Amino acid sequence: VDGYRRFRSADYRRQRERWAQLAEAQSPKVMVIACSDSRVEPAQIFDTLPGEIFVVRNVANLVPPFENDGGRHGVSAALEFAVTRLNVEEIVVMGHGMCGGAHAALTEMFQDAAPGDGGFVHAWVSLLDGARERVKAKYGTGPEASREMELETVRTSIANLRTFPFIPEREADGRLTVHGAYFAIADGVLHVMDESGSFAPA
């Protein structure tokens, strides 16, 4: 409540005209898919105003592959809405350093856990099973492997994004661009992925 009061007396007051516009509709140009980690706040990292980015956050910033099975697909629903209804022009998948989800995928620490004791996490990060095997084969399980696994969360999610029919068709005709990024918590540096899948500081 204290935070809300600060917001009402400062940001809301300064941006009242913008809030009035947002009350009518939203039209963000960018969708950001980020981790739920409390240290990785997309609006702060990209210094955005209210209404500028459409954000989905989950463990390890993962996008599942396209599945038309009638299940409850939260990330897929948000992706569908952002792309086909809001017509976002860019999607940014942002991984980060010290990612617990990537660590859980690499070490399989919750492999035999029951739901409520890590089982949900294990089922979710199983999306990275293929990436884990590639990383372990090349880097083992040390610090270098951990960082590579964090980068793989971005590459895997982007590959899965492109299994949704409405993504590649919009990329092909220039309506949509997909980007990969990685925020290093230790030094606050944002890295951007190039076409080859390599990352370099922005």
Side-chain angles (χ1 to χ4, degrees):
V1 172
D2 287 343
Y4 161 71
R5 287 174 178 152
R6 289 193 298 271
F7 161 72
R8 284 287 296 184
S9 64
D11 285 355
Y12 185 80
R13 188 169 293 174
R14 280 196 305 269
Q15 300 185 61
R16 185 165 294 172
E17 185 177 329
R18 183 174 187 86
W19 283 106
Q21 292 171 348
L22 291 172
E24 301 299 321
Q26 63 170 326
S27 57
K29 301 299 181 193
V30 179
M31 178 183 194
V32 179
I33 300 167
C35 186
S36 298
D37 193 299
S38 62
R39 300 165 291 180
V40 187
E41 174 52 62
Q44 282 191 306
I45 293 168
F46 295 117
D47 191 26
T48 59
L49 295 170
E52 284 193 307
I53 57 174
F54 186 87
V55 180
V56 172
R57 297 177 72 175
N58 63 54
V59 172
N61 43 270
L62 291 173
V63 175
F66 177 81
E67 293 175 316
N68 188 19
D69 59 3
R72 296 180 174 96
H73 300 290
V75 176
S76 303
L79 179 64
E80 178 185 66
F81 183 73
V83 175
T84 69
R85 294 296 180 265
L86 296 177
N87 295 306
V88 295
E89 297 171 4
E90 298 179 84
I91 298 175
V92 179
V93 179
M94 183 174 69
H96 70 94
M98 307 300 293
C99 180
H103 177 71
L106 180 64
T107 62
E108 298 182 88
M109 61 190 292
F110 297 123
Q111 185 172 15
D112 299 315
D117 194 35
F120 286 126
V121 173
H122 177 73
W124 179 246
V125 299
S126 69
L127 289 166
L128 294 167
D129 283 354
R132 180 188 65 248
E133 297 311 313
R134 292 193 300 274
V135 169
K136 287 176 73 172
K138 188 171 182 180
Y139 299 98
T141 57
E144 195 175 4
S146 293
R147 180 179 169 90
E148 189 62 25
M149 196 70 195
E150 292 160 357
L151 301 179
E152 278 292 334
T153 68
V154 178
R155 297 182 188 114
T156 298
S157 288
I158 289 176
N160 287 345
L161 272 175
R162 290 178 169 139
T163 66
F164 289 78
F166 49 83
I167 299 292
E169 69 182 31
R170 282 169 172 77
E171 284 187 289
D173 63 21
R175 285 180 289 164
L176 180 66
T177 306
V178 176
H179 308 278
Y182 174 86
F183 182 73
I185 290 176
D187 56 16
V189 174
L190 182 74
H191 299 251
V192 177
M193 191 180 85
D194 64 19
E195 292 295 326
S196 72
S198 298
F199 288 78

